[in-house]
């Protein structure tokens, strides 16, 4: 039977994979982009840069805080670093759960660490998603105002899925109710009478 620890581990690893794919979107994985516009013959935006039709996608030029004036708000591409931060915290929280899968005795410290790490990962990912939506929604409106077509790409929805799943994992870990189980908080035979 699959226990609550395994379910949390799988959900956390799924969030990690989604966040890694979001982080290495354009220019590393050209199919994954936050925003596509028909300006300059077609331009795609990702976490680490952008690619347009006039120049080839070069992963060696990837960096946080790229500029694409005047459509992108200048300081906001630097805030996209919150996605790799969220991915790192998610990986750490998954590593904290590993001892629980292989030990006979259930130590108490991984539950607290897992709850804290998933909460911080959710905060970083939610902030990154909110700022990326603001950045790319403003850019989309500016492109459309200039007469170009613009649409959101798959990285936007992958970031939303990772954020929603991390919210569920963080709430579950914080409340100690992993899929209806106690997730190590209290023995089933303990009852309180008032």
């Amino acid at each position: 039977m699959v226990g609550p620890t395994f379910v949390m581990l799988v959900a956390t690893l799924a969030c990690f994979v989604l966040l890694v794919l979001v982080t290495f979107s354009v220019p590393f994985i050209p199919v994954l982009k936050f925003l596509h516009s028909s300006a300059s013959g077609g331009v795609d935006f990702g976490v680490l840069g952008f690619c347009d039709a006039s120049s080839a996608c070069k992963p060696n030029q990837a960096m946080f805080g790229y500029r694409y004036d005047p459509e992108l708000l200048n300081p906001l591409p630097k805030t996209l670093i919150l996605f790799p931060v969220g991915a790192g915290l998610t990986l750490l929280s998954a590593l904290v759960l590993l001892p629980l899968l292989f030990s006979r005795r259930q130590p108490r410290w991984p539950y607290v660490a897992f709850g804290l790490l998933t909460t911080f990962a959710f905060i970083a990912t939610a902030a990154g998603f909110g700022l990326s939506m603001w950045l790319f929604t403003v850019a989309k409106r500016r492109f459309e105002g200039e007469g170009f077509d613009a649409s959101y790409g798959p990285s936007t929805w992958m970031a939303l899925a990772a954020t929603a799943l991390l919210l569920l994992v963080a709430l579950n870990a914080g409340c100690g109710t992993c899929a209806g189980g106690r997730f190590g908080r209290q023995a089933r035979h303990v009852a309180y009478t008032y």
Side-chain angles (χ1 to χ4, degrees):
M1 185 170 148
V2 175
T5 305
F6 183 74
V7 173
M8 287 287 108
L9 180 66
V10 168
T12 305
L13 289 175
C15 290
F16 173 70
V17 168
L18 285 172
L19 289 172
V20 166
L21 288 174
V22 165
T23 300
F24 290 107
S25 57
V26 169
F28 292 101
I29 307 172
V31 177
L32 301 178
K33 54 191 154 262
F34 275 97
L35 183 71
H36 172 76
S37 175
S38 61
S40 301
V43 61
D44 299 326
F45 296 95
V47 170
L48 296 172
F50 64 93
C51 295
D52 56 1
S54 62
S55 65
C57 246
K58 298 176 184 170
N60 59 353
Q61 294 178 348
M63 62 180 258
F64 291 108
Y66 56 89
R67 297 177 67 106
Y68 194 88
D69 293 325
E71 287 81 8
L72 287 183
L73 300 172
N74 262 343
L76 285 183
K78 291 180 182 176
T79 62
L80 296 177
I81 196 170
L82 290 170
F83 286 116
V85 168
L89 289 171
T90 304
L91 178 64
L92 285 176
S93 63
L95 292 176
V96 164
L97 279 184
L98 285 179
L100 293 176
L101 292 176
F102 302 111
S103 67
R104 288 185 168 177
R105 250 178 16 129
Q106 296 288 332
R108 186 168 281 294
W109 67 266
Y111 298 112
V112 176
F114 179 71
L116 287 173
L117 285 170
T118 54
T119 301
F120 292 146
F122 166 71
I123 290 169
T125 306
F129 177 71
L131 289 169
S132 70
M133 285 306 297
W134 180 30
L135 171 70
F136 294 119
T137 300
V138 169
K140 182 177 184 287
R141 288 184 183 154
R142 287 182 179 179
F143 280 124
E144 290 170 346
E146 294 171 2
F148 299 110
D149 292 330
S151 61
Y152 295 117
S155 288
T156 304
W157 311 117
M158 291 168 62
L160 175 64
T163 303
L165 189 56
L166 265 176
L167 173 64
L168 292 175
V169 169
L171 285 176
N172 229 344
C175 296
T177 58
C178 179
R182 64 192 190 286
F183 204 41
R185 298 287 194 261
Q186 171 182 323
R188 292 183 195 272
H189 66 277
V190 175
Y192 296 103
T193 56
Y194 294 100

